[in-house]
Amino acid sequence: MSSKLGYDVTDPTVQVLRASAFMQNGPVKQVRSLEDLDRWVRSQAYHDVIAYISNTSRAIQGHRLTQDFPVTEQMRRLCEIFDGLELLIVEHAPKLEDSNLALPFAQVRSKAYRTWMRQMFQHVFSKLDEAINVNCKHINELGQYLRRSFGNSNTLDFGPANELMFLFFLCGLFRAGILLAKDTVAAALLLFNRYVHVMRRLISTFGLSIAKDPSYTIEDYYILPYLWGAAQLSLDCPFSPMQCEQGKIMDSYRHDYMMLDIIDHLQKTRSGPLSQVALQLWSILSIPTWPQVYRGLERNYIDHVLSSFGTVEQAIFCELMSFEALLSSVHLNRAHLGVHIMDGKEKEDEDELEQKQAEDLWQFSAPVSRYVSMEPESFLGFQGSKARRRSEDSEEERLWMLRQLVDENDPNSEMFFPDREVKGRDSLTSVANEGQ
């Protein structure tokens, strides 16, 4: 019998109660009124999100999508999740021949999208379980963030709230120690870029509408690709913001930079120059330098996305991305772009930069602080085997980890069980839309 003592559950500490509540409830919504926005901007999650965006922006400046950067085995396994999601899009793509006078093509699309969403729920959890260490207690929380990143099957739309959930997913991977400092560049230029392309295909295949606040500057489904796209170009950029629409620039650098790739897609899908299809974005790109463009986009993202009740009310919070207030006031970490990053410090001396070896360029700190949580045995009073694999009959054993509060108006709050087949009535979405 193990000599390690568990906590006395008759007189639990605050930490024990907190950890136990997370394990029982899972991720839940916290912003339900305008007053909750004040709690949100003082929360740990809010500061972690801004720190993650800023530190990632500093790390990716000057790097191209086609450039060599460290890609770990863990990162490759996470990217495989999106390979499966693209196959599901092909498998469940709506067919025009399935529509008729009684069943318009719009309804065919909506049914196909809801079917894809149900399959995606199953895929996300099973692949996360394969991609992440089996002993990681945060798989359910990360899975809840990820599956809310692909739109809303009830309203058939996609917007910054879904993008925010993917940001929670990325931030949570670093907070849990699943991704490390050396994964920072790849997380933005590879993993996030894969997400953007999957969403682009999902939107065009199922005809999702834009869910966004009218005050947003960017007239598009997502905001973050423009922000990180400007960060990429803030160092050693071969062209200015006002040159983005030039054909020669677009042809030469479209595959190297997120900003050009997304502007090119925007022009092609909306059939027109940027000044006609996205006037506000076109106005922002008239700013002389990329660091200034970044600062303008960052300010707008914080003021109109992270401070939007309509966006944040859809967010869920748990242990990695906590809604709890910071114990002390902390200055928001904002990126200062246009200088080289190395060993966690900004350097402007080019001679000093050239003296460093290439591998030293990746020795900067992690983009967000590591979260250290209590292990379940610490407050449940037992110590299990670290190497024990999940058995076929382990559904009951894992229920305590997967339980969560279900908002009956939220079609994305379905409970997940790893070993259960997906059926037509297995989700709140299918029940809500039965008979359509």
Side-chain angles (χ1 to χ4, degrees), residues 62-91:
H63 295 293
R64 303 186 181 190
L65 295 171
T66 54
Q67 181 184 16
D68 288 335
F69 45 79
V71 179
T72 61
E73 181 59 31
Q74 178 66 82
M75 180 62 68
R76 288 190 177 94
R77 291 200 299 268
L78 289 170
C79 287
E80 290 175 359
I81 296 174
F82 294 92
D83 295 335
L85 292 177
E86 291 199 355
L87 290 175
L88 287 177
I89 293 176
V90 174
E91 181 181 347

Side-chain angles (χ1 to χ4, degrees), residues 8 13 19 42 107 131-132 172-173 180 202 212 224 257 269 271 284 290 301-302 344 346 362 373 376 391-392 396 411:
D8 183 1
T13 65
R42 293 194 300 268
Q107 292 188 23
I132 299 175
L173 289 172
L180 306 175
L202 195 68
K212 63 190 292 280
L224 207 52
Y257 297 105
T269 54
S271 304
I284 290 175
W290 285 110
Y301 187 79
I302 293 175
E346 297 171 352
W362 311 105
S373 62
S391 62
E392 293 183 357
E396 290 77 14

Side-chain angles (χ1 to χ4, degrees), residues 64-67 233 237-239 243-261 264 268:
R64 303 186 181 190
L65 295 171
T66 54
Q67 181 184 16
L233 293 162
C237 178
F239 55 90
Q243 294 177 307
C244 280
E245 287 192 277
Q246 294 182 8
K248 184 177 180 180
I249 296 294
M250 188 66 73
D251 293 339
S252 300
Y253 300 107
R254 180 173 60 243
H255 301 295
D256 293 328
Y257 297 105
M258 274 193 288
M259 179 68 78
L260 292 189
D261 176 60
D264 180 60
K268 288 179 179 177

Side-chain angles (χ1 to χ4, degrees), residues 390-400 402 417-420:
R390 187 180 68 233
S391 62
E392 293 183 357
D393 61 347
S394 61
E395 179 177 310
E396 290 77 14
E397 297 177 10
R398 296 184 62 187
L399 281 178
W400 58 270
L402 297 175
F417 299 94
D419 302 321
R420 187 179 65 184

